[in-house]
Amino acid sequence: MAILQALNLAVGFKQGNKHKVLLDDLNLKLEQGSMVALLGRNGAGKSTLLRALTCDTIPVNGTVEINGRLSTSLTKRELSRLVALVATEHIMGGGFTVRELVELGRQPHTGFLGRLSRYDIDVVDACLEAVGITDKAERHVADLSDGERQKAMVAKALAQHTPIIVLDEPTAFLDVASRIDTMKLLHKLAREQNKAVLLSSHDISQSLLLADELWVITSDREVVTGTTEQVVMSGVMDRVFGNSEILFNGSLCDYEAQLPSTATVSIKCDDPLLERCMVNALLRNGIAVDESSDKVIVIKAVDSIVLPNGNKVTNVQEVLRLFQ
């Protein structure tokens, strides 16, 4: 049985006395032990949907069930033992040490005074170790890098001991290495700790690599779900932005700009990385690569290009002479 599911859900926001519906007729399921990536352009409704699923807002229509119970029947304390939320805002809490921040995650399980038992302390230690920041435990959050702060927030969520972890843009403020580390960590938690991990993300390549399922919001606000492979092969990734100049490149598992071209060539190259670099270089200069073109160039190195007539040139700009 799904640990979280939405039935006939509609989400949006209030506009005067009426509701503005962003997403409608949603039927979604989240399973333990899996990682789901919610993808869509800015303003598509990702954060609005996550807030409704985590009971931060009331949906316009439909129901949310968590652990077999209607979300409306759960007390705040019960909910906090089922769902841990890591919000999208830039991480605050600079006055806390990392340990103190993670200890806040134990609040749903401690008494009125929030005193930590030996067990609670052991849980905090285990969470710090799970995300790899044990050595940062006594440092102030303000002194950490963005990537380290995000790990601290994930550790805090882990300390809640919930079966569900929901993250809104967890890699938004991170560099490439930290984004990869964070996504790998979430994938690991789903696998090794049987967590149901739901995250919204603009990190397409890592989402497609590590997420078990995708929930994709298209430009016309349809939500398409399925395994990552099913969704990618359905062609729905081309419908995310509704912009003919931004298309999904299946070989890259990411989006790229469609630049205008005035000519085409076919290329031969034995090095996949060199080929990709030169395809980009040609396109920047108005030349598209098309296997059906009768103008074939052979690329041996960045500065060694053999033209159809056998002449060698040293840069892409000189290929333009083919069309002059």
Side-chain angles (χ1 to χ4, degrees):
M1 184 180 70
I3 188 70
L4 183 151
Q5 60 180 338
L7 304 172
N8 303 316
L9 192 70
V11 301
F13 55 89
K14 258 200 165 181
Q15 209 169 47
N17 294 324
K18 297 181 179 180
H19 279 96
K20 169 71 173 178
V21 176
L22 292 178
L23 304 170
D24 197 7
D25 196 27
L26 304 181
N27 291 282
L28 307 167
K29 290 185 177 182
L30 183 64
E31 305 280 351
Q32 285 187 255
S34 68
M35 176 168 148
V36 176
L38 174 62
L39 308 179
R41 65 182 184 181
N42 284 340
K46 298 188 301 295
S47 295
T48 302
L49 175 56
L50 292 185
R51 286 196 295 269
L53 292 175
T54 56
C55 307
D56 189 43
T57 60
I58 299 172
V60 178
N61 193 31
T63 59
V64 175
E65 293 183 2
I66 301 176
N67 202 28
R69 292 178 57 185
L70 286 174
S71 60
T72 52
S73 71
L74 296 169
T75 66
K76 288 185 177 180
R77 188 175 183 83
E78 289 173 329
L79 183 63
S80 66
R81 293 185 175 190
L82 289 169
V83 182
L85 175 64
V86 180
T88 189
E89 290 81 9
H90 207 301
I91 299 163
M92 305 300 287
F96 289 102
T97 65
V98 171
R99 177 178 294 280
E100 289 169 340
L101 178 67
V102 177
E103 286 174 350
L104 292 176
R106 294 303 299 162
Q107 284 186 337
H109 306 277
T110 58
F112 177 75
L113 297 177
R115 291 175 179 168
L116 301 180
S117 66
R118 181 68 255 175
Y119 173 76
D120 293 316
I121 294 171
D122 289 343
V123 168
V124 170
D125 287 339
C127 293
L128 290 167
E129 183 177 357
V131 303
I133 55 171
T134 299
D135 59 330
K136 308 290 191 305
E138 306 310 322
R139 291 180 58 183
H140 283 89
V141 175
D143 297 331
L144 302 180
S145 69
D146 284 341
E148 291 168 340
R149 290 179 193 173
Q150 193 60 272
K151 287 182 178 180
M153 292 301 293
V154 173
K156 175 177 175 288
L158 276 179
Q160 282 185 235
H161 265 199
T162 61
I164 304 168
I165 301 177
V166 177
L167 308 98
D168 193 359
E169 295 288 352
T171 61
F173 305 104
L174 307 183
D175 61 26
V176 172
S178 296
R179 289 204 307 268
I180 292 173
D181 282 345
T182 299
M183 295 290 280
K184 284 174 59 181
L185 170 61
L186 296 174
H187 174 264
K188 180 180 178 181
L189 294 176
R191 285 287 192 276
E192 296 184 1
Q193 297 195 21
N194 199 36
K195 302 290 185 181
V197 177
L198 171 61
L199 62 105
S200 63
S201 180
H202 288 297
D203 193 336
I204 304 299
S205 59
Q206 291 304 308
S207 295
L208 268 54
L209 173 64
L210 296 172
D212 300 293
E213 294 186 30
L214 300 180
W215 296 354
V216 178
I217 305 175
T218 68
S219 58
D220 53 357
R221 300 195 186 281
E222 179 186 1
V223 179
V224 179
T225 68
T227 66
T228 299
E229 294 72 30
Q230 289 171 335
V231 172
V232 170
M233 294 306 295
S234 74
V236 75
M237 301 299 289
D238 282 330
R239 297 169 50 204
V240 170
F241 293 102
N243 186 335
S244 61
E245 295 183 356
I246 301 174
L247 291 180
F248 180 73
N249 185 323
S251 62
L252 297 178
C253 283
D254 211 339
Y255 289 92
E256 63 179 4
Q258 298 299 296
L259 299 176
S261 60
T262 57
T264 62
V265 296
S266 176
I267 66 175
K268 290 184 178 180
C269 183
D270 295 330
D271 184 330
L273 178 59
L274 175 60
E275 180 178 352
R276 184 67 240 181
C277 289
M278 297 307 287
V279 167
N280 290 345
L282 287 164
L283 192 54
R284 283 199 304 272
N285 287 277
I287 305 172
V289 174
D290 184 341
E291 292 182 359
S292 64
S293 174
D294 58 357
K295 292 183 173 63
V296 182
I297 62 176
V298 180
I299 300 173
K300 297 184 176 181
V302 171
D303 57 357
S304 179
I305 303 170
V306 181
L307 301 179
N309 60 10
N311 292 339
K312 293 183 179 180
V313 296
T314 59
N315 59 66
V316 168
Q317 287 75 22
E318 292 184 71
V319 178
L320 289 170
R321 294 177 184 174
L322 281 171
F323 308 98
Q324 293 175 348

